[in-house]
Amino acid sequence: MQKNCLEVCLTPALLPLYKVENYIVVIIDIFRATSSICYGIENGAEAIIPVSEVEECAAYREKGLNYLLAAERNGEVVTGFDFGNSPFAYTPEKVAGKTVVLTTTNGTHALHLSRQAKRVVIGSFLNLTALCNWLKTQHDNILLVCAGWKNNFNLEDTLFAGAVIEQLKELEYKLDDPAIAANDLYQLGKHDISDYLKKTSHGERLRKLGITEDIAFCMQIDLTTAIPVLEGEKLTKLQD
Amino acid sequence: MQKNCLEVCLTPALLPLYKVENYIVVIIDIFRATSSICYGIENGAEAIIPVSEVEECAAYREKGLNYLLAAERNGEVVTGFDFGNSPFAYTPEKVAGKTVVLTTTNGTHALHLSRQAKRVVIGSFLNLTALCNWLKTQHDNILLVCAGWKNNFNLEDTLFAGAVIEQLKELEYKLDDPAIAANDLYQLGKHDISDYLKKTSHGERLRKLGITEDIAFCMQIDLTTAIPVLEGEKLTKLQD
């Protein structure tokens, strides 16, 4: 029997190299979009709609009061919006039963390019084991798509891809070179992921924005079990 | 004083994200183009002209007998050509005083996209230390461009980028995330690079082509000291 593939697309700029329709795609944007999405869906958000631009997000204001709008600029909640991109905002009190419109450039870009996949799900350290357990039941090709930073490689998304591979390795998938590299980097970082990621350029940028607590939050492993899945334009809780 | 940058472009597909005019660019295509180029220039080739297509290479036939034409398809020398892409062909007896036209898809693509750089030089394990010693004297931004495999990431080129960073680290360049990752992967592989690279998908492909000896040749560190540099369309020996 031919092995299924377990591959890593290191940045959305490389997605055209893959036939996404042959894969289950996992979107990864650790700081902070996919972490916030996992936490929001876990806490009862009916749906989360990722958009690229603040203006797109604002347009949902006219659609009714059931939408919560999330947008940041330079680390501050944009005036008139309900909250920013901090995962701490996605509490049950705030999001249960609501639809959140989330402004996230890198994550939205990766999602849009992956629409033709067999399934598009969301991964973060928060739902790592739940995600991997579900992937193990699928017996299908898997593409881990790192949202990256401005279309380029970043360490945190790649390290998470390596963590997924670590849990799936026992199933003997065929790995490509990016998957081998991601898993090797995870071996280097796994004993103290937060410490390992301190050296990233992106981590430095986020620290400058004063969101050290958000970063620590996003590094928590297995805080949640919900798997957000793309249905049309919305991310909702996977039911099967 | 602001630090110079030492960055890694993991595949030519990501080159548009960099302003190459701000960097000295090192082109890396370990299996086998840049290894063969370093060996050929070391052995007295007057110039090496990299082209993408066998047809482009063949067109040089009409320009005179001083050109040696190198082209392979499926691991075999193309009929009517002087030799293929094996570095073993680039001996002093064959190449001294000659201009070699080399057919190489990944390497040529990376070179063409880097033309606007301050300088474009060629790196391989063969000339590793000579290259690094020269780079240390430049006090400039450096971009290590991995030719990769069909526009995607490969381990061997990235590992070599990590080896260059290892030698340059003492100069305190500002590293980007791909550079940090490349150097970390090098830490994992450096004790036995050949063994580490056995697991790559590209290595497997090359083994199937029956060029195991070429691969071993390309893994030799510091066999040569010449640094090939791009002048117009030709690679020649750097004189300064």
Side-chain angles (χ1 to χ4, degrees):
Chain A
M1 205 181 74
Q2 210 182 349
K3 288 179 188 177
N4 285 316
C5 296
L6 175 54
E7 303 184 355
V8 175
C9 177
L10 294 170
T11 98
L14 299 177
L15 257 173
L17 302 175
Y18 299 83
K19 289 185 178 166
V20 290
E21 59 269 31
N22 295 336
Y23 299 86
I24 294 172
V25 163
V26 180
I27 304 288
I28 302 164
D29 189 2
I30 296 300
F31 298 149
R32 296 165 289 167
T34 61
S35 301
S36 293
I37 292 166
C38 288
Y39 195 52
I41 294 293
E42 179 82 8
N43 287 335
E46 191 176 293
I48 295 181
I49 303 175
V51 298
S52 299
E53 304 291 338
V54 172
E55 292 69 25
E56 259 179 287
C57 185
Y60 279 86
R61 176 70 71 207
E62 295 162 19
K63 295 191 181 181
L65 289 173
N66 209 34
Y67 291 98
L68 288 172
L69 308 188
E72 269 187 16
R73 261 182 189 154
N74 304 316
E76 302 278 335
V77 177
V78 180
T79 310
F81 283 66
D82 301 299
F83 42 86
N85 293 348
S86 168
F88 288 107
Y90 292 73
T91 55
E93 297 71 30
K94 282 198 176 160
V95 302
K98 304 274 187 178
T99 292
V100 182
V101 186
L102 168 66
T103 317
T104 162
T105 316
N106 300 308
T108 302
H109 186 48
L111 269 166
H112 280 195
L113 291 170
S114 303
R115 283 185 182 284
Q116 305 304 318
K118 291 181 177 179
R119 211 81 182 264
V120 180
V121 296
I122 300 295
S124 72
F125 285 107
L126 300 184
N127 72 345
L128 171 62
T129 300
L131 172 71
C132 291
N133 287 342
W134 177 75
L135 288 170
K136 283 178 189 172
T137 65
Q138 298 303 299
H139 309 290
D140 210 333
N141 298 317
I142 298 167
L143 182 61
L144 308 173
V145 176
C146 300
W149 177 242
K150 293 186 176 177
N151 256 331
N152 209 338
F153 171 97
N154 77 25
L155 271 177
E156 63 271 19
D157 295 346
T158 307
L159 209 76
F160 176 76
V164 172
I165 293 160
E166 186 71 8
Q167 291 208 18
L168 297 181
K169 270 201 301 197
E170 64 192 53
L171 273 71
E172 299 194 352
Y173 290 89
K174 190 170 186 306
L175 304 183
D176 64 351
D177 273 17
I180 293 166
N183 190 240
D184 279 351
L185 289 170
Y186 177 71
Q187 303 305 329
L188 283 173
K190 68 181 175 184
H191 302 295
D192 190 342
I193 293 172
S194 300
D195 188 61
Y196 182 78
L197 290 178
K198 278 190 185 131
K199 61 183 173 179
T200 77
S201 51
H202 192 201
E204 191 181 328
R205 192 192 64 85
L206 292 175
R207 276 193 302 282
K208 282 182 188 158
L209 288 175
I211 54 174
T212 317
E213 288 179 5
D214 283 9
I215 295 178
F217 186 91
C218 297
M219 297 283 93
Q220 295 175 96
I221 294 172
D222 294 340
L223 186 71
T224 66
T225 58
I227 301 170
V229 61
L230 189 66
E231 303 284 353
E233 63 171 356
K234 294 179 178 182
L235 294 161
T236 59
K237 186 173 175 178
L238 182 71
Q239 299 300 337
D240 59 1
Chain B
M1 204 180 79
Q2 212 183 347
K3 288 180 186 176
N4 285 315
C5 296
L6 175 53
E7 303 183 355
V8 175
C9 178
L10 293 170
T11 98
L14 300 177
L15 257 173
L17 302 176
Y18 298 85
K19 289 185 175 164
V20 290
E21 60 270 30
N22 294 337
Y23 300 85
I24 294 172
V25 162
V26 180
I27 304 287
I28 302 163
D29 189 2
I30 297 300
F31 297 151
R32 298 165 288 166
T34 61
S35 302
S36 293
I37 290 166
C38 288
Y39 196 52
I41 293 293
E42 178 82 8
N43 287 334
E46 192 177 293
I48 296 180
I49 302 174
V51 298
S52 299
E53 303 291 338
V54 173
E55 293 68 24
E56 259 178 287
C57 186
Y60 279 86
R61 175 71 73 208
E62 294 162 17
K63 297 191 180 181
L65 289 174
N66 209 33
Y67 291 97
L68 288 172
L69 308 188
E72 269 186 16
R73 262 183 190 151
N74 303 317
E76 303 277 335
V77 177
V78 180
T79 310
F81 284 66
D82 302 299
F83 42 85
N85 294 348
S86 169
F88 288 107
Y90 292 73
T91 55
E93 298 72 29
K94 282 199 177 160
V95 302
K98 304 272 188 180
T99 293
V100 181
V101 186
L102 168 66
T103 317
T104 162
T105 315
N106 301 309
T108 302
H109 186 49
L111 270 167
H112 280 194
L113 291 171
S114 304
R115 280 183 184 285
Q116 305 305 318
K118 291 182 179 181
R119 211 79 182 265
V120 180
V121 296
I122 300 295
S124 71
F125 285 107
L126 298 185
N127 73 345
L128 171 62
T129 300
L131 171 72
C132 290
N133 287 341
W134 178 76
L135 288 170
K136 284 179 191 173
T137 66
Q138 298 303 299
H139 308 291
D140 211 334
N141 298 316
I142 298 167
L143 181 62
L144 308 173
V145 176
C146 300
W149 177 242
K150 294 186 176 177
N151 257 332
N152 209 338
F153 171 97
N154 77 24
L155 270 178
E156 62 271 21
D157 295 345
T158 307
L159 210 74
F160 176 77
V164 172
I165 293 160
E166 187 72 6
Q167 290 207 20
L168 296 182
K169 269 201 300 196
E170 64 192 53
L171 272 72
E172 299 195 352
Y173 290 89
K174 189 172 185 306
L175 305 183
D176 65 349
D177 273 18
I180 294 167
N183 190 240
D184 279 350
L185 290 170
Y186 176 71
Q187 304 305 329
L188 283 173
K190 68 181 176 185
H191 301 295
D192 190 342
I193 293 172
S194 301
D195 187 60
Y196 182 78
L197 291 178
K198 277 188 184 131
K199 59 183 172 178
T200 77
S201 50
H202 191 202
E204 189 182 329
R205 193 192 64 85
L206 292 174
R207 276 192 302 281
K208 281 182 188 158
L209 287 174
I211 54 174
T212 316
E213 288 178 5
D214 283 9
I215 294 178
F217 186 91
C218 297
M219 297 282 93
Q220 296 175 97
I221 293 173
D222 294 340
L223 186 70
T224 67
T225 58
I227 302 169
V229 61
L230 189 66
E231 302 283 355
E233 64 172 355
K234 294 179 179 181
L235 295 161
T236 61
K237 186 173 174 178
L238 182 70
Q239 298 300 337
D240 58 4

